[in-house]
Amino acid sequence: MDIYRVKPGTRIKLDDWDPNDKQAFPLSKKEGKKKLLQLNETLEVLQEKLYAEGKHKLLIVLQGRDAGGKDGTIRHVFEGVNPQGVQVASFKVPSKLELAHDYLWRVHQRVPASGNIVIFNRSHYEDVLVVRVHNLVPEAVWSKRYEHINAFEKMLADEGTTILKFYLHIDRDEQKKRLQARLDDPAKNWKFNPADLSERARWDEYTAAYEDMLSKTSTDWAPWYIVPANRKWYRNLVVATAIIGALENLNIQLPKVDFDPNSIVIE
Ligand code: ADP
């Protein structure tokens, strides 16, 4: 998935990244969905080993615009994995208690423990996205956060956490289609938030914020992937493949037992 990984220090212009790209898996939708089922099985096995070994930690960060597909990615990529050992942490508007602390306080509490995978549905990056676009703190405050975040993630990596970050890249037309679908389908109405429209109106400001985030915080220890996400099946394949690759690199070993299973007879 190297083609989608942001090399540290690259200045990102999102216009240069095609949200419809499908060069890594030139498949039909049907074939793509079939391939995901195989990847689901591979991920299930690797996650069980990670849990059994109880040594490594995996942190997955998902960011994207409204209707970018964060929820769908979690549902489809992790289908079949054992819920024991995998947690989702969703970061919403901070509570009063959270706001009374530094912005990484609530985040640090949710990072994975040994043997676990944690998926961040939104993350500390909101503190350089929505916070920046809405001027919730002055520029002098948010502009220092890229450096804090890189240092924070370096600390997590040095202490045994593998970090993968995915920006789900959709275009304006795709967002319109997905928001409209939430209005058209009564079963999806609950997902529609009128505030999404005022966020959509700030499309360009968010683009600038995402571009800075991707340019300044993709590091060797916590890389960003820009995932072409107009096609949901393709997005799922890219995210699943990157996660599987990272887990395979860990060379996870099942715990050794100190008995000979063949010598044990259970009456
Ligand atoms: P989601 O869109 O993630 O499914 P919600 O509709 O509840 O869930 O939206 C969560 C909202 O919380 C988003 O608008 C997001 O920008 C906002 N949010 C998250 N973190 C922060 C933060 N640190 N400061 C302000 N708003 C935040």
Side-chain angles (χ1 to χ4, degrees):
M1 294 293 91
D2 271 7
I3 47 172
Y4 301 126
R5 199 177 43 183
V6 177
K7 312 283 173 295
T10 320
R11 182 74 225 162
I12 295 298
K13 288 297 293 169
L14 281 172
D15 272 350
D16 299 339
W17 296 73
D18 179 7
N20 286 305
D21 183 56
K22 58 172 200 167
Q23 59 179 297
F25 305 100
L27 305 172
S28 66
K29 180 174 176 178
K30 197 169 159 208
E31 292 164 338
K33 286 185 159 187
K34 212 165 134 201
K35 180 157 180 66
L36 185 65
L37 296 179
Q38 296 163 359
L39 297 180
N40 287 149
E41 283 178 26
T42 307
L43 187 58
E44 189 185 342
V45 172
L46 285 164
Q47 185 265 329
E48 182 166 326
K49 282 173 86 176
L50 181 91
Y51 186 74
E53 187 195 41
K55 191 169 128 196
H56 299 283
K57 316 159 171 89
L58 178 62
L59 174 61
I60 294 163
V61 173
L62 290 180
Q63 285 290 160
R65 302 183 191 258
D66 294 317
K70 298 185 289 295
D71 294 339
T73 302
I74 297 171
R75 219 171 42 242
H76 293 290
V77 170
F78 288 90
E79 190 157 324
V81 301
N82 184 352
Q84 188 149 258
V86 180
Q87 299 100 42
V88 178
S90 297
F91 294 96
K92 311 271 184 186
V93 177
S95 68
K96 223 172 152 187
L97 179 67
E98 288 168 346
L99 276 177
H101 293 80
D102 69 84
Y103 68 100
L104 291 174
W105 181 76
R106 66 172 181 167
V107 174
H108 201 174
Q109 296 176 50
R110 308 296 297 274
V111 300
S114 301
N116 282 253
I117 299 177
V118 171
I119 305 152
F120 278 4
N121 184 351
R122 302 185 187 271
S123 65
H124 41 303
Y125 286 99
E126 293 292 323
D127 293 282
V128 289
L129 293 166
V130 64
V131 166
R132 164 177 170 166
V133 170
H134 286 272
N135 294 312
L136 300 181
V137 302
E139 178 168 355
V141 174
W142 61 252
S143 60
K144 294 204 178 104
R145 292 182 171 171
Y146 304 99
E147 218 177 297
H148 305 156
I149 289 173
N150 286 340
F152 171 65
E153 292 177 351
K154 180 77 166 65
M155 182 278 291
L156 294 177
D158 286 348
E159 296 285 324
T161 305
T162 300
I163 306 172
L164 297 175
K165 305 183 296 202
F166 299 100
Y167 168 64
L168 306 181
H169 184 37
I170 58 166
D171 61 25
R172 237 175 153 241
D173 286 347
E174 184 62 26
Q175 188 189 51
K176 183 176 180 181
K177 254 196 269 171
R178 293 186 189 180
L179 292 176
Q180 187 63 49
R182 292 177 180 183
L183 290 173
D184 294 344
D185 180 354
K188 285 191 184 166
N189 285 171
W190 67 274
K191 277 192 148 192
F192 186 83
N193 177 357
D196 290 349
L197 299 185
S198 50
E199 296 305 282
R200 177 171 163 80
R202 297 171 184 265
W203 185 273
D204 292 341
E205 291 164 73
Y206 271 105
T207 300
Y210 280 117
E211 288 178 342
D212 266 351
M213 172 192 88
L214 293 163
S215 305
K216 294 177 187 218
T217 62
S218 196
T219 53
D220 289 331
W221 57 89
W224 275 109
Y225 291 82
I226 300 177
V227 181
N230 273 6
R231 291 187 180 85
K232 295 174 182 172
W233 65 265
Y234 189 81
R235 165 203 80 197
N236 294 338
L237 289 181
V238 170
V239 173
T241 304
I243 295 172
I244 288 169
L247 286 172
E248 282 174 345
N249 274 342
L250 292 176
N251 189 24
I252 306 166
Q253 303 297 325
L254 285 173
K256 292 238 175 330
V257 291
D258 54 4
F259 51 84
D260 173 7
N262 294 320
S263 70
I264 298 181
V265 178
I266 302 173
E267 299 294 341

